[in-house]
Amino acid sequence: MAGEPQEDCLFCKIVAGQIPATIVRETETTIAFRDINPQAPTHVLVIPKVHYRDAAELAAARPDVAADILRETQAVADDDKLESYRVVFNTGSGAGQTVWHAHAHVLGGRGLQWPPG
Ligand code: 5GP
Ligand code: ZN
């Protein structure tokens, strides 16, 4: 069922504590942890505890939690003292999405090119 934990989902397993992660923040509805393959000095993933396949599906079903994710991206940036940072939601395999549990990448701590590749 939408929103329920999925057995084969890596990020649901991190939420459940079944797979270790370097968790930097947690709220009632979200967790934030460092990406295992960082692309910048700060590379943190902010995810909802509920399972939705991407940010758009999350926003449609749980706009409250989608707002919590955005609030937490700023909190991650504040914790790492970032003045500038980028929030990315890869959506679809053509855009590089590999984990089908909604997540925001928070990237910062180095110069970021625009437009991105
Ligand atoms: P996507 O490519 O779906 O936008 O982002 C998935 C991200 O999850 C990638 O940046 C990848 O490095 C990260 N990732 C994949 N497996 C793990 C893991 O087991 N632990 C952590 N912390 N990050 C992971
Ligand atoms: Zn999941």
Side-chain angles (χ1 to χ4, degrees), residues 8-31:
D8 57 351
C9 174
L10 179 65
F11 287 177
C12 283
K13 288 182 180 156
I14 289 178
V15 170
Q18 292 163 355
I19 290 180
T22 305
I23 294 174
V24 294
R25 297 186 59 82
E26 179 165 11
T27 70
E28 214 171 286
T29 57
T30 67
I31 60 169

Side-chain angles (χ1 to χ4, degrees), residues 15 25-32 46-52 58 62-72 101-102:
V15 170
R25 297 186 59 82
E26 179 165 11
T27 70
E28 214 171 286
T29 57
T30 67
I31 60 169
V46 183
I47 74 168
K49 290 182 176 175
V50 288
H51 178 97
Y52 289 94
L58 174 70
R62 293 294 307 272
D64 55 329
V65 180
D68 293 342
I69 297 279
L70 284 183
R71 204 176 301 110
E72 281 296 293
H101 178 130

Side-chain angles (χ1 to χ4, degrees), residues 10-11 14 19-22 33-39 43 45 89-90 95-100 103 105:
L10 179 65
F11 287 177
I14 289 178
I19 290 180
T22 305
F33 53 92
R34 299 211 181 269
D35 196 291
I36 205 167
N37 182 24
Q39 302 302 313
H43 187 172
L45 302 173
F89 293 96
N90 292 329
Q97 187 175 2
T98 58
V99 177
W100 304 92
H103 53 279
H105 296 256

